[in-house]
Structure formats: structure tokens, C-alpha cells
């Protein structure tokens, strides 16, 4: 009996010693790690709410624009596990009471920081760039800021799904008529899918 017990005990010990690192590795791989150079591609779709126009003197006025829609795509590069840099392209359309359509295509460059609570991540970022704006026969190229906050569920190491909320702050100086210059505020709420690669 002793001859069988010793080899069985030794085999059991070797098995435990071999399995424990595998369990630790499985736990480590389950966590959503990012390293410098990792990339993410985000696709977003949702409604856009026109909030207000503000003159450069400080007075606010309603936009008189309808609820609009937005579609966007972003590409980001991770600097480390929580910080990423990238840019995005969006498009939006909304209409005025007389059925004229306002089109905007913002192009922004952005820095994002992610708070991670596995399996969720909460990105917070600030984008800056320009918006191509077209309304009736007028087209302009306006500077803008876009702060963003989101909440995502990391379904796997490759895919995340969630929501983003962004504030569009578009500066529209009219150099020929400075008194008509204004700041436009829009808010979007989008569903997003992120592919990590």
C-alpha cells in the first residue's frame, strides 16, 4: 500500500503545482489588459439634440432645429493600459422649421482616459478639431471642442459594447459680420461598438 501511496501523492503534488499557474494565467488573461500600440476602432450611432446658440457677448438663444441623428467612426491607439490617443469622423443632420437641413461633419483629435472595473470600462475624453458645416447655400469650416464620457461592457478581449455622450461645442465666427458670430451647442447620445486589435 505504501508503494502505491507515495507515487500517487507525488503525482498529485506535481499535478497541483502544474495546474495552479494555469489558473492564475486564466485569471490574468480574462482581465482586459491593453498595452502600448494596441488599437481600437469604434462605430457609433444615435440621436443628436440641438441645445442652444450663444453669441460671443454671452446671450443664449434656441436653435429652432429638430432632433437629428449622428453616425461616427473613431480610431485610437493605446499609450498604456488606460490612456489612448486618436481621432474621429462624425456626420450629423438636422432640419430647421422651414425644412432646410443643417449638415455637420466634425473631424476631431482626442485624448481619452479609461477607468476600468472589470468587465466594464468608463472612457472620458476631450476632442478638438474642425467641423465642416453646411446650411442652405452657406458652407463653413468651424473650430470645435468635443468632451465625451461613456460606459462599455467588455464582452471579450476583442469586443466592447456600450453608450457614449458627447457635447459638441462649435465656434462659428462670421468675419464679414462679427455681430452674427456664435457658439453652437449640441449633445449626442450614441450606442457604440468597439473592436480592439
Amino acid at each position: 500500500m505504501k508503494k502505491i501511496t507515495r507515487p500517487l501523492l507525488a503525482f498529485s503534488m506535481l499535478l497541483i503545482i502544474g495546474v495552479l499557474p494555469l489558473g492564475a494565467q486564466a485569471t490574468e488573461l480574462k482581465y482586459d489588459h491593453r498595452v502600448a500600440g494596441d488599437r481600437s476602432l469604434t462605430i457609433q450611432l444615435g440621436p443628436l439634440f440641438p441645445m442652444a446658440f450663444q453669441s460671443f457677448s454671452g446671450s443664449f438663444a434656441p436653435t429652432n432645429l429638430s432632433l437629428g441623428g449622428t453616425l461616427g467612426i473613431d480610431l485610437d491607439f493605446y499609450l498604456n493600459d488606460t490612456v489612448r490617443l486618436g481621432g474621429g469622423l462624425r456626420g450629423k443632420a438636422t432640419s430647421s422649421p422651414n425644412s432646410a437641413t443643417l449638415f455637420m461633419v466634425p473631424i476631431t483629435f482626442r485624448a481619452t482616459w479609461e477607468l476600468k472595473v472589470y468587465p466594464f470600462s468608463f472612457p472620458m475624453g476631450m476632442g478638438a478639431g474642425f467641423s465642416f458645416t453646411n446650411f442652405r447655400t452657406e458652407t463653413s469650416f468651424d473650430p470645435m471642442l468635443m468632451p465625451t464620457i461613456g460606459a462599455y461592457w467588455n464582452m471579450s478581449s476583442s469586443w466592447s459594447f456600450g453608450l457614449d455622450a458627447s457635447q459638441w461645442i462649435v465656434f462659428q465666427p462670421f468675419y464679414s459680420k462679427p455681430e452674427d458670430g456664435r457658439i453652437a451647442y449640441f449633445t449626442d447620445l450614441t450606442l457604440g461598438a468597439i473592436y480592439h486589435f
Side-chain angles (χ1 to χ4, degrees):
M1 187 73 176
K2 288 183 180 179
K3 290 181 181 180
I4 296 174
T5 306
R6 285 184 183 170
L8 189 59
L9 185 61
F11 177 75
S12 298
M13 290 298 289
L14 288 173
L15 186 62
I16 290 170
I17 291 170
V19 168
L20 284 177
L22 291 176
Q25 182 182 8
T27 301
E28 186 175 333
L29 291 175
K30 185 178 176 185
Y31 185 75
D32 186 28
H33 284 292
R34 304 285 175 228
V35 296
D38 281 0
R39 296 166 299 251
S40 65
L41 181 69
T42 307
I43 298 172
Q44 301 161 318
L45 175 68
L48 185 128
F49 305 91
M51 305 303 287
F53 288 133
Q54 179 185 13
S55 68
F56 287 117
S57 62
S59 61
F60 285 88
T63 63
N64 294 323
L65 295 169
S66 68
L67 177 70
T70 183
L71 174 66
I73 187 166
D74 300 330
L75 179 63
D76 294 304
F77 296 86
Y78 281 85
L79 299 183
N80 57 37
D81 186 43
T82 57
V83 178
R84 54 188 163 126
L85 294 177
L89 174 69
R90 295 197 187 187
K92 83 117 179 149
T94 186
S95 61
S96 69
N98 57 4
S99 299
T101 303
L102 171 66
F103 292 103
M104 297 178 76
V105 180
I107 299 171
T108 56
F109 298 96
R110 180 181 64 253
T112 303
W113 177 76
E114 291 183 15
L115 170 66
K116 296 188 177 187
V117 182
Y118 184 83
F120 301 99
S121 58
F122 303 92
M124 293 169 272
M126 174 61 81
F130 292 90
S131 174
F132 294 96
T133 305
N134 178 268
F135 184 69
R136 293 187 179 137
T137 60
E138 297 180 16
T139 301
S140 59
F141 187 61
D142 306 314
M144 73 175 298
L145 295 173
M146 187 182 288
T148 303
I149 188 165
Y152 281 84
W153 169 56
N154 297 300
M155 184 186 81
S156 68
S157 61
S158 297
W159 286 100
S160 303
F161 300 95
L163 294 169
D164 277 306
S166 300
Q167 178 75 53
W168 300 24
I169 306 169
V170 184
F171 300 89
Q172 298 178 308
F174 292 102
Y175 301 107
S176 57
K177 292 184 179 179
E179 65 277 7
D180 290 342
R182 61 190 170 200
I183 304 169
Y185 297 95
F186 301 91
T187 301
D188 71 25
L189 183 62
T190 56
L191 293 171
I194 304 177
Y195 176 63
H196 300 277
F197 59 105

